[in-house]
Amino acid sequence: MSGTRFEGTIRGDTREERAKLLQWEHNGIAIFQSTLYKTVSAVIETEDMVLVSDPCWLPHEVERIRCYAIDKAGDRPLYILFTHSDFDHIIGCGAFPEAQVIASYALADKNDEQREQILEKIHTFDDDYYVTRDYPIIYPEVSYPVSEEGQQLKIGNTTLTFYHAQGHNDDGIFTIVEPLGVWLAGDYLSDLEFPYIYHSSKRYEETIAKVSSILARHSISMLVPGHGQFTEDIEEIRRRQDKDEHYIHSLRSAIVAGDEQRMAALIQGCPYPRNMQQFHRNNQLLIERELHSN
């Protein structure tokens, strides 16, 4: 698969800061990347539907994704997929009132207090940076909850296959869109980030271990992570799997050995050290708690 990587002005946009939002477009697949955290949203078009994943971050970015998706959809149904419930991934939910929502049952089953905690993070972000949105800040109301490993949703000749993806948080899912062979991975398998573990390192390892079986079961043409760059290279997907498995195993081993130098070396040369060192430290604290609880 080959497509166009956009380096100049997006069609219909004139503002310089929007120039690189649309990263790539080909054969019914459009990849958008936010200015913030290089967060990725995809718009996937088949003969049966248009699917938007995790539209985010800034209001003009969400609006650009919305306009693109609505234009592509025409008379076809519009679906929005939330790969997990982190606030940066659901922040655009209210901009798509006509869309049917797909997400995990665990995301849908959050209680009122948990939902409010997530929404409060959005309000705090917007207040911190004086951001005003022209759509409501809401928690997703899920039309199609995913509860089973390998569960499928068939829409005409389009099939969505879902796999649980826990570890980063407790409600993630992988989604394979066929016949296009697109894998929407959420906050896993990034070229930019090491594993950010909020829920469980063991669950994270179990999720990453699914890469081999997914590649065996599906003809994957593109992996779309939640942050960083997509890839069409199967070997690159395997390299990302190996990298993430190595990070978790090595961090756990270094913690057991009390080797601070090994821990620090694991993220040596990371691209955004002032930020990423804190995520690495949080991983260390979480794994220490896990070890002490065993």
Side-chain angles (χ1 to χ4, degrees):
M1 184 186 295
S2 61
T4 303
R5 187 176 293 277
F6 289 80
E7 300 296 344
T9 302
I10 297 174
R11 291 169 297 176
D13 289 336
T14 57
R15 297 184 62 180
E16 185 70 21
E17 64 269 23
R18 299 188 188 185
K20 293 184 179 180
L21 177 60
L22 179 57
Q23 294 281 293
W24 194 86
E25 181 183 42
H26 180 68
N27 196 31
I29 305 167
I31 306 296
F32 295 82
Q33 189 181 84
S34 172
T35 299
L36 299 180
Y37 292 97
K38 301 190 185 299
T39 314
V40 177
S41 304
V43 178
I44 300 174
E45 175 187 2
T46 75
E47 63 184 15
D48 310 296
M49 62 178 293
V50 168
L51 176 70
V52 182
S53 68
D54 296 345
C56 59
W57 259 84
L58 298 171
H60 73 270
E61 295 175 334
V62 174
E63 176 62 17
R64 180 67 180 92
I65 295 167
R66 172 181 166 75
C67 289
Y68 184 94
I70 294 295
D71 179 64
K72 290 293 184 181
D75 295 330
R76 287 172 293 184
L78 180 65
Y79 294 80
I80 185 166
L81 168 73
F82 293 110
T83 61
H84 61 297
S85 66
D86 284 356
F87 85 92
D88 54 322
H89 290 261
I90 70 160
I91 200 167
C93 180
F96 293 81
E98 62 279 273
Q100 300 181 69
V101 175
I102 303 167
S104 71
Y105 179 81
L107 182 150
D109 197 43
K110 291 281 192 291
N111 61 38
D112 289 345
E113 181 180 357
Q114 291 169 319
R115 293 179 179 213
E116 284 304 317
Q117 288 173 350
I118 294 168
L119 294 179
E120 181 60 26
K121 292 180 181 179
I122 299 176
H123 291 300
T124 298
F125 171 84
D126 285 354
D127 284 359
D128 283 347
Y129 296 100
Y130 298 178
V131 173
T132 301
R133 299 179 189 273
D134 59 2
Y135 60 84
I137 303 302
I138 60 173
Y139 190 86
E141 293 299 329
V142 179
S143 311
Y144 295 93
V146 176
S147 58
E148 302 294 331
E149 184 79 353
Q151 184 173 328
Q152 292 186 327
L153 174 61
K154 294 182 182 291
I155 306 160
N157 293 319
T158 303
T159 300
L160 307 181
T161 304
F162 308 101
Y163 298 94
H164 294 306
Q166 298 177 339
H168 169 71
N169 74 351
D170 64 351
D171 58 25
I173 50 173
F174 287 153
T175 303
I176 314 300
V177 183
E178 294 171 316
L180 294 178
V182 177
W183 179 354
L184 301 169
D187 279 2
Y188 298 91
L189 301 168
S190 172
D191 64 317
L192 179 67
E193 297 176 343
F194 50 84
Y196 288 7
I197 310 169
Y198 304 157
H199 176 54
S200 166
S201 67
K202 289 292 188 183
R203 292 287 182 266
Y204 203 115
E205 288 175 309
E206 291 169 2
T207 293
I208 295 301
K210 296 179 184 183
V211 169
S212 299
S213 61
I214 289 173
L215 291 177
R217 289 177 191 148
H218 302 275
S219 180
I220 299 298
S221 63
M222 175 183 287
L223 171 81
V224 182
H227 302 268
Q229 294 298 318
F230 68 89
T231 181
E232 302 170 86
D233 184 347
I234 297 300
E235 290 309 309
E236 170 62 14
I237 297 173
R238 296 187 192 279
R239 282 192 291 271
R240 295 184 188 188
Q241 177 191 23
D242 291 343
K243 170 183 67 71
D244 291 349
E245 288 177 337
H246 172 77
Y247 171 86
I248 297 174
H249 176 77
S250 299
L251 180 55
R252 188 182 293 118
S253 297
I255 290 170
V256 170
D259 192 335
E260 294 286 344
Q261 287 187 327
R262 281 174 57 196
M263 284 183 247
L266 287 173
I267 61 164
Q268 187 173 6
C270 66
Y272 302 100
R274 292 167 185 80
N275 176 277
M276 290 185 167
Q277 285 173 1
Q278 185 57 53
F279 285 101
H280 180 57
R281 175 60 177 164
N282 291 342
N283 288 344
Q284 178 185 339
L285 294 173
L286 180 143
I287 292 175
E288 286 176 351
R289 291 194 299 271
E290 291 175 341
L291 291 170
H292 291 153
S293 67
N294 292 336

